[in-house]
Amino acid sequence: QVQLVESGGGLVQPGGSLRLSCAASGIIFSINTMGWYRQAPGKERELVATITSGGSTNYADSVKGRFTISRDNAKKTVYLQMNSLKPEDTAVYYCNADIRPYGSTDPVLRYWGKGTLVTVSS
């Protein structure tokens, strides 16, 4: 059974920084793309950033130049460094990962964490 557990959320003032982490555990053969999404109150979940197993990244326009996604394949962990935070970045942040649980012929399954709350407020 695969689990994704996020950490690092909290309350920060506008202009501040936070670093989110998401660690995958359980039966994992390989991890393809990992990503971060967020959902603000009353809004739909939206893409923040993704990173492939080879390190190629993709960002939402709203976070380009402020957020950086990275991963440590040995630790099965993805990170999101968030700088110059704005009140509109307030949301629950979710990580996901596309995982083959048992072997190279398995289908890729998408797993989600339970989320971590980021609040940007003075």
Side-chain angles (χ1 to χ4, degrees):
Q1 190 171 0
V2 175
Q3 282 191 317
L4 299 179
V5 179
E6 302 101 335
S7 61
L11 174 64
V12 63
Q13 292 187 340
S17 298
L18 280 176
R19 188 191 194 209
L20 305 183
S21 300
C22 173
S25 63
I27 300 174
I28 297 172
F29 175 78
S30 65
I31 303 177
N32 294 352
T33 299
M34 304 183 81
W36 289 95
Y37 287 69
R38 66 186 181 187
Q39 186 166 18
K43 295 188 177 181
E44 294 186 352
R45 190 174 298 189
E46 64 177 2
L47 169 72
V48 176
T50 61
I51 184 167
T52 68
S53 58
S56 296
T57 59
N58 179 54
Y59 295 93
D61 288 342
S62 59
V63 306
K64 282 181 181 176
R66 300 188 298 123
F67 291 9
T68 302
I69 189 170
S70 61
R71 62 191 282 173
D72 184 328
N73 290 329
K75 294 182 178 180
K76 300 183 179 65
T77 299
V78 63
Y79 305 96
L80 186 68
Q81 177 66 44
M82 304 185 294
N83 298 328
S84 302
L85 282 161
K86 304 175 181 180
E88 52 262 44
D89 294 317
T90 296
V92 177
Y93 284 70
Y94 300 89
C95 73
N96 72 4
D98 294 336
I99 293 172
R100 294 182 193 275
Y102 297 102
S104 60
T105 59
D106 279 353
V108 174
L109 303 177
R110 175 159 291 184
Y111 294 86
W112 290 87
K114 294 183 178 181
T116 185
L117 177 63
V118 172
T119 303
V120 185
S121 175
S122 55

